[in-house]
Amino acid sequence: MEIRLLEYALAISKNRNFTKAAESLHIAQPSLSKQISKLENELGVQLFIRKHGNITPTPAGVRFLKKAKKIVLMRNDLIREMKEVNQGTSGELIIGSTAVTGGHVLPPLLQEYKQRYPNVQIKLVEESTKQLTSLTAKGEIDIAILALPIEDTYLTTKTMFTESLNIVLPTKITSWMPSHIQNLLTPSQIQHASTLSLESLSQCPFILLKQGFGFRNSVLELCAKSGFQPQIEFETSSIETAQSLVKNGLGVTIVPNMVVHQNSNTQLTYFKINSNPTRTLVFAYHHERYLSSPSRALMNVFDELNNQN
């Protein structure tokens, strides 16, 4: 059995259509159909149900595709590893991260990385936590920067750092604020207050990230531990947008400490949460796949920079 036949079957499974699969493989559709029929005859099982142009794998096809994907990935990893033996740290590195994490963690890291490894071509993938986890598990991302916990058992992790979480309020007092929050934001009190309890915000409108972002789940869990379910006023895919909404008096949000350090907006007020919750960022990668030299180099560069600070 030729590996190219495995790739053909995987392309059909991905596209759910012979014509689209043939286009992605740059071969003629009749040729693709003939090759899959040949493969099915060789195996003695039907791999796909062909019905009204919609192609779905049979139960036997599901089992075949799962193992075929592993074989193709192992072949690709082997080729990549052998090239690295000859060429050193070069080639392509696909890094996944959410927008807020990537925007704060990656720029200084990649600046140093590119100076050391100019022959590595870097591709950035910004998606939700759910999407990044899935893409990394599928082998479509080499290494992702995610927050614990990681639910996918195919992924292993290396700790980057742990940071605190912060409440963000508008500097200007607004009508939805309870009296104790309004009092806290008066000029005479704000200089003396550094922490705030989540319970004190239970009646405030919250601005959260959309579903699929791990940080959203962290905030909801924190609120649940504090005995309330937040009143969600707005949802966004950007923490920067969330802060802009807060700045304009539309609610309260929670952000990781890295955002506080790089934000000097005088229209926002940050408070530590008195229960001192944290989140831990990690490098995540597929534990059954070859960890490429560019991926290992990225983690090493981060460790060196982190030790200098």
Side-chain angles (χ1 to χ4, degrees):
M1 183 189 305
E2 299 177 47
I3 284 187
R4 67 182 178 87
L5 296 180
L6 307 185
E7 294 175 321
Y8 289 177
L10 290 168
I12 293 169
S13 175
K14 180 179 180 180
N15 290 278
R16 297 288 199 242
N17 182 283
F18 271 87
T19 301
K20 291 180 179 178
E23 290 174 356
S24 71
L25 293 165
H26 305 293
I27 62 174
Q29 189 271 330
S31 176
L32 177 60
S33 297
K34 183 178 179 180
Q35 292 297 324
I36 293 300
S37 295
K38 177 183 175 181
L39 176 61
E40 290 177 323
N41 290 333
E42 180 182 347
L43 296 172
V45 297
Q46 184 179 359
L47 297 176
F48 297 101
I49 299 172
R50 303 153 173 85
K51 189 175 182 181
H52 304 303
N54 185 33
I55 310 300
T56 57
T58 63
V62 171
R63 294 177 63 184
F64 175 85
L65 291 164
K66 183 177 181 180
K67 293 191 175 181
K69 186 169 186 177
K70 286 186 177 181
I71 293 170
V72 171
L73 287 175
M74 287 176 65
R75 186 279 308 269
N76 294 342
D77 285 345
L78 180 58
I79 292 172
R80 189 174 189 180
E81 185 174 358
M82 292 303 100
K83 284 183 177 179
E84 287 181 3
V85 171
N86 181 48
Q87 300 174 0
T89 303
S90 60
E92 184 180 61
L93 174 61
I94 305 176
I95 306 171
S97 73
T98 60
V100 62
T101 300
H104 290 83
V105 174
L106 285 177
L109 174 58
L110 294 183
Q111 181 185 37
E112 180 66 24
Y113 186 89
K114 288 297 292 182
Q115 289 179 357
R116 298 191 193 186
Y117 306 102
N119 294 326
V120 176
Q121 299 298 314
I122 298 173
K123 179 181 178 182
L124 301 180
V125 178
E126 286 188 346
E127 291 288 352
S128 67
T129 306
K130 183 178 180 180
Q131 275 290 95
L132 292 171
T133 301
S134 175
L135 291 171
T136 308
K138 291 177 181 177
E140 296 178 27
I141 287 176
D142 295 316
I143 191 165
I145 299 175
L146 300 171
L148 293 178
I150 305 294
E151 297 180 355
D152 197 298
T153 56
Y154 283 107
L155 301 186
T156 190
T157 63
K158 182 179 185 298
T159 299
M160 298 177 70
F161 58 86
T162 298
E163 63 177 344
S164 60
L165 306 182
N166 299 264
I167 294 167
V168 190
L169 286 166
T171 302
K172 186 178 178 181
I173 294 173
T174 58
S175 59
W176 51 260
M177 291 179 181
S179 58
H180 61 277
I181 297 295
Q182 292 187 15
N183 292 335
L184 188 65
L185 293 177
T186 58
S188 60
Q189 294 295 321
I190 199 168
Q191 295 179 358
H192 305 289
S194 59
T195 65
L196 195 60
S197 70
L198 271 180
E199 298 95 313
S200 65
L201 303 174
S202 60
Q203 301 304 312
C204 298
F206 270 71
I207 301 162
L208 299 185
L209 293 181
K210 293 178 180 179
Q211 292 191 21
F213 287 87
F215 194 70
R216 172 195 175 95
N217 295 334
S218 298
V219 173
L220 291 176
E221 289 174 9
L222 285 174
C223 292
K225 288 179 181 179
S226 297
F228 72 98
Q229 182 175 343
Q231 304 173 25
I232 303 174
E233 187 73 17
F234 294 100
E235 295 177 324
T236 175
S237 58
S238 165
I239 283 186
E240 294 305 322
T241 299
Q243 292 196 116
S244 292
L245 292 170
V246 171
K247 180 181 69 175
N248 285 277
L250 295 170
V252 57
T253 195
I254 296 175
V255 299
N257 209 48
M258 65 171 66
V259 175
V260 178
H261 282 303
Q262 296 192 22
N263 196 322
S264 58
N265 195 312
T266 57
Q267 294 176 284
L268 294 172
T269 307
Y270 295 93
F271 295 92
K272 295 286 186 183
I273 303 173
N274 62 1
S275 57
N276 196 33
T278 61
R279 74 162 184 166
T280 298
L281 287 182
V282 297
F283 288 112
Y285 48 92
H286 200 301
H287 68 82
E288 290 184 353
R289 295 197 62 194
Y290 169 67
L291 184 61
S292 68
S293 175
S295 297
R296 285 182 273 115
L298 182 74
M299 292 191 288
N300 290 337
V301 171
F302 176 80
D303 286 341
E304 292 179 25
L305 291 177
N306 202 38
N307 290 334
Q308 293 174 8
N309 297 331

